[in-house]
Amino acid sequence: MRRNSYQMQDHTAEAHLFARRAITALIAVAALMGVLIANLYYLQIEKYQTYQTRSNENRIKVQPVPPNRGIIRDINGNILAANEPSFSLEIIPEAVTDMEWTLSELQLIIDIPDEQVEQFKRIIKYQRRFKSIPIKTKLTENEVAAFSVKQHLFPGVAIEARLNRHYPYTDTMTHVIGYVGKINKRDLNRLEREERIKNYAATRSIGKLGLERFYEEQLHGTTGSEEVEVNHRSRVLRQLSIEAPKPGTDLHLAIAVEMQEQAKKSLRQNRGAIVAMDPRDGAILAMYSNPSYDPNLFVTGISQKDYSLILNSKDKPMLNRTTQGQYPPASTIKPQLALLGLHKKLVTPETTVWDPGYWRFPNVETQRNFRDWKVGGHGWVDLVTAIKQSCDIYFYDLAYRLGIDEISPFISKFGFGDYTGIDIHEEYKATMPSREWKKEKKRQPWYQGDTISIGIGQGYWTATPMQLAMATSVLVNKGDVIEPKVVSATSVDESISLTPIKKRNPVVVNNPKHWDTILDSMYQTVNAIDGTARAAFVDAVYTAAGKTGTAQLFSLGEDEEYDASKINERRRDNAMFVGYAPYDNPSIVIVVAVENAGGGSANAAPVAREMMDLYFSMGLANKRNISTEIINVEETELAEENNGG
Amino acid sequence: MAKTENERRRSSLFFRFHIDLPLLAGILTLMLISLFVVYSAGSQNMDMVVRQMVRMGLGLFVMLLVAQISPFTYQKWAPHIFVTGILLLVAVLLFGDMGKGAQRWLNLGIIKFQPSEIMKLSLPMMMAWFLSKYTLPPSLKNTFLGFIIIATPTLLIAKQPDLGTSLLVASSGFFVMFLAGLSLRVLFGLVISVGAFLPILWFYLMHGYQKQRVLTFLNPESDPLGSGYHIIQSKIAIGSGGTEGKGWLQGTQSQLEFLPERHTDFIFSVFSEEFGFVGVLLLLSIYAFIIVRGMQIASRAQEAFTKLLAGSLTLTFFVYLFVNIGMVSGLLPVVGVPLPLVSYGGTSIVTLMASFGILMAIGTNKRLLAST
């Protein structure tokens, strides 16, 4: 119905209708407001605790804090393995939306080689997504500045200040200390298996070689944690609280850096190894393998080029010649054999043997001659002469009379043919042959001729310089078998504790005087006019004793003459020397092995002299605290894996 | 009594410039709150606050301008504006600019604007004009015609698609019908038919992202990092505000940017986190005050047209508020409706202020009051 002027009645009715509807609407508004308020009351008052917690879970993240790795020092406190602060560019894969874009844009700002980007991509595949992974380490100040300006463009990417392992003495300590490297998949699996993975939540590198590997657990320390406030892009804004990490144990060595440097200098361009050991507790005083390499290359990831250069070098720098170099011990083990002869009463100090310059089996018609190194022979020789002049005939005869079944078990007690128990994993057992050994390895019976070569430390017998150091210490200690150890003390928070002496079952002989006879013969070797090492030690301020050795690397024909100049350099004789000083109260045993250098008297003994001279001139002899704690090692503790790195 | 009050009011300066003081007070209070919350939500960016102030200034200017126009002029022009608005909506569908997957904007060279905003004012005007031509309550035929008038712009806007605006536009038209005395039987019938329409809406008319919003609304925790993220973070923000809130600029959900769309649609969450339940009650009472005042103006108006228009505009304002708060606190699906007068930016603030201008024009019209 169309509205017109006389519908005033309707007008009032309409007003009433409107008023009713308006009130209904207002009631509805009030009811709906009530619903809103009730809901807000529920969220803010009833469920406050829940949402408060969830709000905190959003903004508060607990993250691990890596402990500072233990420091390694030499005897004078010089730091051999340090933690150096450096800036690295790191990425949390989880927080990055477009990884490809991020990586290519980052390469525009900071010089990151493609190779490194590829490596990073491989690493993030098996690392946890929330873990910050470095893509470039050791940033320069300019690079830090360049990135900081553009940081906001890169969620999930940040510059982190971290401590990187640094080895200030580069290649002089490599074979002792080893190095740490990036944790790889194999490391992760092992940590997982050993349930140590949690402690590595913030750790980027792990010991791969040497002490760094052997003492990984102690050096690493305990990871702490901190509560931080983060924004929605997981960027840390501030620290709220921290449970401090426990730093790793510091290691103290008996080695002096100068000894290592001297060893490197003395070995010059020759391949070889030097081991010096304190016979009182087995502490290593020097341990150098030549050639060496710079361990710093491995810390943040070595480039393929550098790695293949080291790996493929003909001189095999990665071989730790002190514990993995398997050399024929040559004449250096004559003292032990002589001791066995005395013990078995096959010889006395007075027994003499006629040396015509060759030896042959008695009672056998057709056979070869075993030659003495000295053409024409030494004539009548007794035990002391046989050692000081290194007479081969005497020991051919002795070995023949002892037989391999006597030699092998007795000599093994000195540590040959087994791990020495030293505290690095890179070690070989070398070979102390026996009838069983030959049967198993060579599938051949033991021939009598094999025993004769054993008499002069040749043939199947090989030993590492570390084994020789241990075996020589047994003589010095008159039967006590002490295992070598690189770490002589550890410390946590300034409190130093000496590492115990590890003793094996001693070598026992029927008359203790035999020890003195043998030690005297070694004294004569160095000090008698006709001793093979006299020239090397003339005018020394201390009294030394020792034994030279010259190892043939291939057999000469019966009538051939050895002529170094005609022989391929790599097949020349190895020069060997074992020795100790001071004679009355020994504090250093030294072993020198120089590959393809020629005779031991001329080429190994002078090196030992240089080392000892330095040792005594630095006053290192009286500098050490010897532990009184002794652990008896029943069984030889085997190296976990003998093949390092 | 009423007369003397009216005389006193008529003589005041504000009255002469068609300003309703209580309404203005409510609006300015909300604006002031808005500036503080925008400052906090926008990471303490003063530029944003300045831009918001400029926009508010523009809104106040538009409000004053609109208030000077007599309600009878709107009544006269209502059908023309409505038809123009419908044509513009059709133009948007044909030539409009795309933005966020929806065609809402019409580019006129100099300015871009959303014709759907005009419809927020134009539809209730049209409905009030149409229904007030006849005796109230409306006849069945007029009710039917009224629904067609409502449906036309609603569907055009929904097609853009802009579900939030079409909902607001539809409700503004519906409120006119309701206040005009829509038969309760028709109302129930309507409720039932809407219920029947829902499956059709779901299967034929809704876009994928709209369906997703509804699904997420029903169970936000099912997709905490995807579409459920907004609502979960919003509820955490509100809930962790507790009784007294974390304090201005201290809301971790907003300051650390866990909350998305902080300064626009989700600004209520920022407010709730920083000022708590106490602040929320205060804010809601300001809104309630404005709504009560609006309904008062409507009931005092003398003509059916002005009554219906004022009532509808006021109730639509409430719908804004209810949908926004309901949405950020998890009662309603996320439909993209800003919190009136507090959210940062948008053309909506100008439209809103224009509607307050109309309310003020109605509340201060001498002829209307004189006829009491």
Side-chain angles (χ1 to χ4, degrees), chain A residues 339 410 413-414 474 478-481 504-509 515:
Chain A
L339 182 73
F410 183 79
K413 289 185 192 169
F414 286 81
V474 176
K478 299 180 181 175
D480 277 351
V481 184
R504 293 188 190 168
N505 289 337
V507 178
V508 182
V509 289
W515 295 110

Side-chain angles (χ1 to χ4, degrees), chain B residues 70-87:
Chain B
S70 160
F72 299 106
T73 313
Y74 299 128
Q75 190 169 17
K76 200 160 64 187
W77 287 95
H80 305 92
I81 300 172
F82 182 72
V83 170
T84 313
I86 293 293
L87 290 176

Side-chain angles (χ1 to χ4, degrees), chain A residues 3 14 21 44 58 232, chain B residues 132 136 178 182 233 238 253:
Chain A
R3 191 184 287 274
E14 278 181 3
R21 285 293 166 106
Q44 298 195 290
N58 263 347
H232 74 299
Chain B
S132 64
L136 298 180
F178 177 79
L182 171 70
Q233 295 303 332
I238 295 170
Q253 283 288 104

Side-chain angles (χ1 to χ4, degrees), chain A residues 245-483:
Chain A
K246 274 208 335 250
T249 306
D250 289 350
L251 305 182
H252 303 266
L253 314 189
I255 293 174
V257 165
E258 291 82 352
M259 292 283 279
Q260 295 290 109
E261 282 166 347
Q262 181 61 54
K264 184 183 176 184
K265 210 170 105 190
S266 296
L267 285 174
R268 298 194 301 274
Q269 301 301 314
N270 294 306
R271 293 173 305 282
I274 294 175
V275 171
M277 176 174 152
D278 190 328
R280 295 170 294 181
D281 66 346
I284 296 300
L285 303 172
M287 181 174 171
Y288 181 76
S289 172
N290 208 42
S292 186
Y293 55 96
D294 184 0
N296 291 303
L297 293 171
F298 289 85
V299 173
T300 52
I302 189 167
S303 75
Q304 200 60 47
K305 200 183 108 214
D306 287 342
Y307 186 64
S308 62
L309 215 62
I310 295 173
L311 193 68
N312 298 329
S313 164
K314 224 168 64 174
D315 289 336
K316 294 191 176 10
M318 290 183 99
L319 181 75
N320 188 345
R321 290 176 160 83
T322 62
T323 50
Q324 292 176 318
Q326 303 174 81
Y327 300 105
S331 307
T332 57
I333 46 70
K334 282 175 180 169
Q336 284 88 347
L337 284 171
L339 182 73
L340 178 58
L342 291 170
H343 174 59
K344 283 283 147 193
K345 297 180 178 157
L346 291 176
V347 292
T348 66
E350 292 76 34
T351 312
T352 55
V353 169
W354 175 251
D355 170 12
Y358 62 89
W359 183 87
R360 57 173 56 175
F361 284 106
N363 317 322
V364 182
E365 291 301 318
T366 55
Q367 32 106 1
R368 56 176 283 202
N369 287 340
F370 289 87
R371 304 197 309 185
D372 196 285
W373 63 271
K374 189 172 175 184
V375 181
H378 296 86
W380 284 106
V381 287
D382 63 5
L383 190 148
V384 169
T385 311
I387 287 179
K388 75 177 176 187
Q389 294 205 353
S390 204
C391 171
D392 290 341
I393 304 307
Y394 187 95
F395 285 95
Y396 290 145
D397 181 62
L398 181 57
Y400 168 72
R401 290 196 287 150
L402 282 167
I404 189 67
D405 298 332
E406 285 292 346
I407 295 171
S408 194
F410 183 79
I411 291 298
S412 294
K413 289 185 192 169
F414 286 81
F416 290 106
D418 205 348
Y419 298 119
T420 59
I422 192 171
D423 43 357
I424 61 170
H425 287 301
E426 300 75 40
E427 188 179 20
Y428 291 152
K429 284 179 168 183
T431 307
M432 181 62 237
S434 65
R435 242 177 247 284
E436 298 73 40
W437 173 86
K438 195 178 176 197
K439 208 170 184 179
E440 192 189 317
K441 295 283 172 181
K442 305 279 173 189
R443 308 210 167 277
Q444 278 178 0
W446 186 266
Y447 299 116
Q448 269 196 322
D450 296 335
T451 313
I452 308 308
S453 305
I454 296 301
I456 57 163
Q458 296 262 166
Y460 294 119
W461 191 351
T462 57
T464 65
M466 192 58 68
Q467 287 173 336
L468 287 171
M470 187 172 167
T472 306
S473 296
V474 176
L475 298 176
V476 168
N477 289 324
K478 299 180 181 175
D480 277 351
V481 184
I482 296 175
E483 293 188 352

Side-chain angles (χ1 to χ4, degrees), chain A residues 587-630:
Chain A
S587 67
I588 182 170
V589 164
I590 196 155
V591 175
V592 176
V594 192
E595 293 178 25
N596 314 117
S601 319
N603 301 295
V607 171
R609 166 79 193 268
E610 283 169 356
M611 294 293 291
M612 283 188 177
D613 279 356
L614 177 70
Y615 176 76
F616 288 106
S617 72
M618 280 182 74
L620 294 170
N622 306 316
K623 204 157 184 173
R624 301 206 50 239
N625 292 322
I626 305 296
S627 174
T628 50
E629 190 190 344
I630 293 168

Side-chain angles (χ1 to χ4, degrees), chain B residues 16 18 91 285:
Chain B
R16 201 170 325 140
H18 301 279
S285 51

Side-chain angles (χ1 to χ4, degrees), chain A residues 555-569:
Chain A
S555 305
L556 288 173
E558 205 174 305
D559 301 314
E560 281 178 285
E561 280 293 318
Y562 178 86
D563 182 352
S565 62
K566 285 187 188 160
I567 298 169
N568 180 312
E569 198 263 341

